Amino acid sequence: MGVFLVKRILSVIPILLLAVLILTGLIHLSPVDPAQAYLSAAHIQPTDELLAAKRAEFGLDQPFYQQYFDAVIRLAQLDFGTSYLSGKPVLEDVLLRLPPTVELAVTSLLLALVISIPLGFLAGIKKNGFFDHLSRAIAFIGASIPSFWLGYLFIFFFAVKLDWFPVGGTGSVMHLILPALTLAFPLIALYTRLLRGSVIEALNEPYVLFARTRGLKEGRILGKHVLRMAIPPMITGLGMNLGKLLTGTIIVETVFSWPGFGRYFIEAIFDRDMPVIQGYVFLAALVFIGSSLLVDIIQAVIDPRLAKKGGTV
Amino acid sequence: MNTPLPATMIRSRYTPLLYLCAFVLIGMAGVALFAPWIAPHDPNLVDLTQKLHGPSSAYPLGTDQLGRCLLSRLIYGARISLGCAVLIFIASLAIGLFVGTLAGYRDGWVDQLLMRLCDGVMAFPSLILVLGLVGIFGPGLKQVIIALMLVQWVYYARMFRGMVMTLKTEAFIAAARVNGSSSWKIIRTHILPNILPPLLVIGTLEMGWAIMDISAMSFLGLGVQSPTAEWGAMIHEGKSYIRTNPELMIYPGLAIMLVIISFNLVGEQLAERFGVSKTMK
């Protein structure tokens, strides 16, 4: 177990180094000159001397390997530089914008679990029953509906027509419900199908048959044997989809004017605020890689056989 | 390769839906191809005297905030969404096929280098990398398409690499070679039939993703720029009129959902038919 953990944690390092290489490589190849972008974001008239000074400050006159090396050192310390627009360290801005996004993401994750666990379980124990058909319909709509459109549909029906919820913004629990539901919808679709699949699989296992022949009560079989075996694949799904959740927050925050991390990123793209863009993309990769690491560790704890096999990744 | 399900089983349960979806997709492709002949108006013709009108015989779905024909804009929007999705699919497929086959055949450092590159790209959530690329290279449809290609080829490369590596060791390939079959004949009669079914499935699903991603980028204001008619951009423009004219954002969203649902259903049916796993992402 210990060896597995150490190996798995160390395996993240080369991937992160590669990710930084790709990120710095792309910025290097970009036709946009960061020095120019900085001056225009700061509303400073660019002159040749100023541009040259800024280039030297950003290290753009250095050879590429040097730039890459510097980027690795900086990012390892979570130093993303200074925002062109606000003039403050990017990390400071990020920490300010992160709590609303985490609030939104956690709420929708909980919402997704609360809805999809019973739905997926009921769909799995009775194949082709009512819940199975319902879960199939939700799965198809969830995979096919653009979340930005779903958000506006919610706004239209529940905020404009029925006036149950505010149209956007933050402040109360009521503000949180529509965006969280929008963000949760594709996850509900996914987790329901996932749980349904593993419940069906677990029902076919020999130990379930054995439990039945022993005359155990159906409720006990389902709770103790089936559900317990059906949960680990769901944890994998959860971890695998944190990237999707993160992407979702960008769109949902834009739709509902939610003052979070995702909107900050979109604003930065419009302003060509390179340090913020770079910082966000790097942090997203960190969350993405970190979550798959976490999933592997949790699974190894739940099911030690996996650690012996070397994990899922 | 898994054995395909018995054809009768599929026919009995799914066919009408499959035909309906295929019909929707062919219809949409027709609409996209023949947009100039089908559309009742110029999609970009501004007529402020006609703005925000309801449906009429001249404007079957009404007009938008600039008096442009909503139906015509939807019809022209199909061109961009479907056209770009096809483009992204073909380009990322071509890159992925090239890189994947190369990596699969030439193991050693070539394989290592290419696969580490894939790992690096896959370290990012795909849409966030696309957004990052658009941030670095600037907004615009061209940049969005390039960014989506640069992110998507990785999945094909890995898929083809895996296939080539498995097929390389198959006895029937060696047997064909011993028989004196030419490389072209081996590819045509042995490799292609094995690669085609999963490719068809993934290609179908990929189209759905591409349309979703393009419309999301346009919705965020980073893809198609005004006044070009595109479904995501139409939702972006129509959202300000949600209180008075919700149809401005409802119709384009319906169009996106209809196309994506059709691609997903056809993809799912094909996956079931050929016994292919459809988990690429």
Side-chain angles (χ1 to χ4, degrees), chain B residues 189-268:
Chain B
T189 57
H190 298 292
I191 296 191
L192 221 55
N194 275 296
I195 286 184
L196 224 48
L199 197 61
L200 206 61
V201 171
I202 288 170
T204 316
L205 296 169
E206 162 84 24
M207 294 287 283
W209 289 325
I211 290 174
M212 180 91 92
D213 288 351
I214 294 167
S215 62
M217 297 300 284
S218 298
F219 163 74
L220 290 170
L222 297 168
V224 171
Q225 303 294 320
S226 177
T228 311
E230 194 272 347
W231 296 336
M234 285 170 76
I235 296 179
H236 177 71
E237 287 171 22
K239 67 182 186 198
S240 319
Y241 301 88
I242 194 167
R243 286 180 187 277
T244 51
N245 297 72
E247 67 275 7
L248 291 188
M249 67 93 194
I250 289 179
Y251 290 145
L254 271 179
I256 299 174
M257 198 171 92
L258 191 66
V259 172
I260 296 176
I261 269 197
S262 303
F263 273 121
N264 283 349
L265 274 169
V266 170
E268 175 126 317

Side-chain angles (χ1 to χ4, degrees), chain A residues 18-19 22 26-27 30-32 136 140 143-146 148-149 152 156 167 247 250 265 269-270 272 281 285 288, chain B residues 13 116 120-124 127 131 133 136-138 216 219-220 239 243 246 249-250 253-254 257 261 264-265:
Chain A
L18 273 166
I22 288 179
L26 286 170
I27 291 176
S30 164
V32 180
R136 189 171 294 139
F140 262 113
S144 312
I145 199 165
F148 51 94
W149 189 56
Y152 283 119
F156 176 65
V167 171
T247 317
I250 297 175
F265 179 44
I269 291 177
F270 280 113
R272 296 276 171 99
V281 177
F288 198 43
Chain B
R13 237 187 94 192
R116 292 298 79 75
V121 173
M122 288 170 98
F124 302 97
L127 201 62
L131 281 164
L133 280 165
I136 292 169
F137 289 92
F219 163 74
L220 290 170
K239 67 182 186 198
R243 286 180 187 277
M249 67 93 194
I250 289 179
L254 271 179
M257 198 171 92
I261 269 197
N264 283 349
L265 274 169

Side-chain angles (χ1 to χ4, degrees), chain A residues 110-308:
Chain A
L110 289 177
L111 209 59
L113 289 179
V114 165
I115 297 173
S116 59
I117 289 180
L119 194 60
F121 190 65
L122 289 171
I125 54 176
K126 195 146 182 265
K127 249 172 120 175
N128 288 324
F130 168 74
F131 287 106
D132 197 12
H133 287 304
L134 182 69
S135 83
R136 189 171 294 139
I138 292 178
F140 262 113
I141 297 172
S144 312
I145 199 165
S147 57
F148 51 94
W149 189 56
L150 182 68
Y152 283 119
L153 285 186
F154 281 159
I155 291 179
F156 176 65
F157 286 112
F158 297 114
V160 175
K161 283 273 157 197
L162 297 170
D163 202 15
W164 289 352
F165 299 100
V167 171
T170 49
S172 69
V173 182
M174 295 309 262
H175 286 90
L176 188 60
I177 293 175
L178 287 185
L181 205 59
T182 311
L183 192 56
F185 197 74
L187 299 178
I188 294 171
L190 207 77
Y191 296 160
T192 306
R193 292 309 278 177
L194 212 66
L195 190 65
R196 171 193 174 269
S198 37
V199 164
I200 290 174
E201 207 170 296
L203 279 173
N204 289 323
E205 291 285 343
Y207 53 77
V208 171
L209 187 69
F210 179 59
R212 287 223 170 98
T213 54
R214 276 194 297 164
L216 288 186
K217 286 213 178 70
E218 194 63 20
R220 195 176 153 77
I221 295 174
L222 290 177
K224 194 158 163 102
H225 296 282
V226 175
L227 194 60
R228 206 170 143 194
M229 280 315 284
I231 290 293
M234 196 141 161
I235 296 174
T236 317
L238 219 93
M240 295 292 169
N241 285 292
L242 272 185
K244 209 176 235 175
L245 192 67
L246 207 61
T247 317
T249 57
I250 297 175
I251 288 169
V252 171
E253 284 176 10
T254 308
V255 170
F256 289 93
S257 317
W258 190 265
F261 194 25
R263 252 180 80 200
Y264 176 57
F265 179 44
I266 295 296
E267 284 162 15
I269 291 177
F270 280 113
D271 296 327
R272 296 276 171 99
D273 201 340
M274 288 294 181
V276 177
I277 297 172
Q278 193 190 16
Y280 186 95
V281 177
F282 178 74
L283 279 174
L286 210 60
V287 170
F288 198 43
I289 296 169
S291 62
S292 89
L293 174 72
L294 200 66
V295 166
D296 269 10
I297 293 174
I298 293 174
Q299 279 195 325
V301 172
I302 296 177
D303 188 349
R305 287 173 304 177
L306 285 175
K308 289 209 180 100

